[in-house]
Amino acid sequence: MSTTAGNTKAYADSSGSFKRRGPRFTDRIVANPTGEGEWPAEPGRYRLVVSLACPWAHRSVIVRRLMGLEDAISLGITDPLQDDRSWRFSLDEDAKDPVLGYTHLEQAYLARDPEDGTENGVSVPAIVDVASGQLVTNDYPQITIDLGQQWRAHQRAGAPDLYPEELREEIDGVNEGVFHDVNNGVYRAGFATKQARYEEAFTALFARLDALDERLENQRYLVGDHITEADIRLFTTLARFDAVYQSHFKCNRQKLAEFGALWAYARDLYQTPGFGDTVDFDHIKRHYYMVQTTINPTQIVPLGPEPSAWLTTHHREELGGSPFGPEGSAPTPLEHPLRPLGPIDM
């Protein structure tokens, strides 16, 4: 089984450090393709496959919802519990994705490259060309940027600009530190195989969280006065912190709920349409605690923490700014949960 939540293959090197391999397929879907490796942004052509457990895939779910692309790009959701072929569609009727007809996401990877399609693992998020059944891209950082920038002709009225040109340098700088020390940092702590490597990751993680906590004391969002890519990338790790990383990955100096500004910031985002309504704590906990048996061999899933804490008052609006910018608006409420109907194997 995979040892990570949704991203690419990972391993610990001889020093005991966790290493993550990058995405295998880095084609892009763009408004005006001009060459090899570029696909047209055509509504109805693609299916976005995710796991609700996976923080890397969760980013794309949030952006798709914020941009109002539900009718343009369909969504396939995998079982949080993998088998020896990785992500499977066992929550859907007949254990097959109703659009692709696949039982496993692996099939889209092999349709794209029968020889080496799964060389770097089978990861989510993955965008699949429906007609051919071939994987287009699993480049998780680029997917969200392109959903925000390249699909503008198909976005809802009031969709925010998550990657404004004048803020890109600052957003990229924030994202780089957050990726290394927080998004990937929790994995570097959790999957380290030597004490020194764990302590290095642990120290860097909490140093970064302390810096973010200080940064957010006097500003509502990480960059600028409305939500950007930076907030989305940080949020998906924060949403899993107390439920998983604090205990399961031994990131236990303190809980997210014991921070000041950072915890209020996380609650502010959670209560913003597109964020909390895409979080599934059941999928999250079942995946981490039941799949990662090298860390949790008993596969016991903890009952806490109480999710209602995410709905408590945060007062972040007092800092000014607005979630979607001065000309933006919230996406319409979800009519039903994201999760497909069906049992989860225990």
Side-chain angles (χ1 to χ4, degrees):
M1 288 188 179
S2 167
T3 57
T4 64
N7 202 233
T8 47
K9 269 188 179 178
Y11 61 96
D13 64 16
S14 58
S15 75
S17 296
F18 169 84
K19 300 294 182 182
R20 183 183 299 280
R21 295 175 181 170
R24 169 73 172 80
F25 299 99
T26 57
D27 286 5
R28 294 179 60 195
I29 301 173
V30 298
N32 299 297
T34 58
E36 186 177 355
E38 293 186 342
W39 301 60
E42 295 180 1
R45 177 166 180 171
Y46 306 102
R47 188 155 176 82
L48 173 64
V49 178
V50 303
S51 163
L52 298 181
C54 170
W56 316 94
H58 189 186
R59 300 172 177 184
S60 62
V61 178
I62 293 172
V63 174
R64 173 180 174 269
R65 175 142 163 66
L66 293 180
M67 297 297 103
L69 292 171
E70 291 93 335
D71 292 336
I73 306 171
S74 66
L75 184 68
I77 298 176
T78 66
D79 193 316
L81 305 185
Q82 299 155 296
D83 61 17
D84 57 2
R85 295 175 64 186
S86 192
W87 300 108
R88 54 184 179 158
F89 296 106
S90 49
L91 299 184
D92 292 300
E93 187 176 356
D94 298 325
K96 290 183 179 180
D97 181 88
V99 173
L100 301 173
Y102 289 154
T103 60
H104 291 76
L105 179 57
E106 172 196 66
Q107 293 166 271
Y109 279 72
L110 294 175
R112 172 69 182 270
D113 184 346
E115 296 294 328
D116 299 315
T118 60
E119 179 184 8
N120 276 13
V122 177
S123 67
V124 287
I127 297 183
V128 181
D129 178 54
V130 173
S132 67
Q134 294 184 15
L135 182 78
V136 175
T137 177
N138 67 336
D139 189 353
Y140 61 96
Q142 193 64 48
I143 285 173
T144 53
I145 290 175
D146 286 345
L147 288 176
Q149 300 297 310
Q150 299 296 328
W151 287 79
R152 284 181 171 171
H154 312 291
Q155 293 171 4
R156 66 180 179 86
D161 186 353
L162 300 175
Y163 197 49
E165 191 167 356
E166 69 275 12
L167 297 178
R168 287 180 187 178
E169 184 175 353
E170 186 177 1
I171 291 170
D172 291 345
V174 170
N175 286 346
E176 182 178 0
V178 167
F179 170 80
H180 185 269
D181 295 333
V182 182
N183 300 147
N184 200 45
V186 292
Y187 289 90
R188 291 173 57 233
F191 286 108
T193 58
K194 293 188 178 178
Q195 185 71 28
R197 303 290 83 78
Y198 159 73
E199 292 182 7
E200 288 171 0
F202 180 100
T203 301
L205 166 66
F206 281 99
R208 183 69 62 180
L209 291 177
D210 286 339
L212 292 166
D213 190 54
E214 183 177 357
R215 181 186 183 98
L216 290 163
E217 284 181 355
N218 298 306
Q219 61 188 68
R220 189 172 181 184
Y221 303 108
L222 284 174
V223 181
D225 60 3
H226 70 274
I227 291 163
T228 66
E229 271 277 333
D231 299 296
I232 292 165
R233 296 187 184 199
L234 178 58
F235 174 78
T236 59
T237 296
L238 297 183
R240 291 156 175 78
F241 199 88
D242 286 0
V244 175
Y245 304 140
Q246 192 269 340
S247 57
H248 185 58
F249 280 175
K250 307 178 185 70
C251 299
N252 62 350
R253 192 195 78 178
Q254 68 193 92
K255 298 177 181 178
L256 173 63
E258 293 168 347
F259 281 88
L262 196 59
W263 172 226
Y265 161 84
R267 301 199 314 276
D268 185 10
L269 290 179
Y270 184 89
Q271 294 171 35
T272 299
F275 286 81
D277 54 17
T278 63
V279 174
D280 191 313
F281 288 116
D282 179 63
H283 273 220
I284 289 168
K285 291 195 294 183
R286 286 175 186 266
H287 173 77
Y288 281 93
Y289 288 103
M290 296 183 70
V291 170
Q292 296 167 358
T293 54
T294 56
I295 298 176
N296 187 39
T298 65
Q299 297 182 294
I300 292 174
V301 180
L303 295 177
E306 173 53 53
S308 62
W310 285 91
L311 300 176
T312 56
T313 304
H314 53 74
H315 300 293
R316 295 287 293 177
E317 66 280 354
E318 297 171 8
L319 294 174
S322 59
F324 307 107
E327 299 179 1
S329 60
T332 56
L334 288 174
E335 295 182 1
H336 52 78
L338 287 173
R339 188 197 310 179
L341 298 176
I344 299 176
D345 295 339
M346 295 293 288

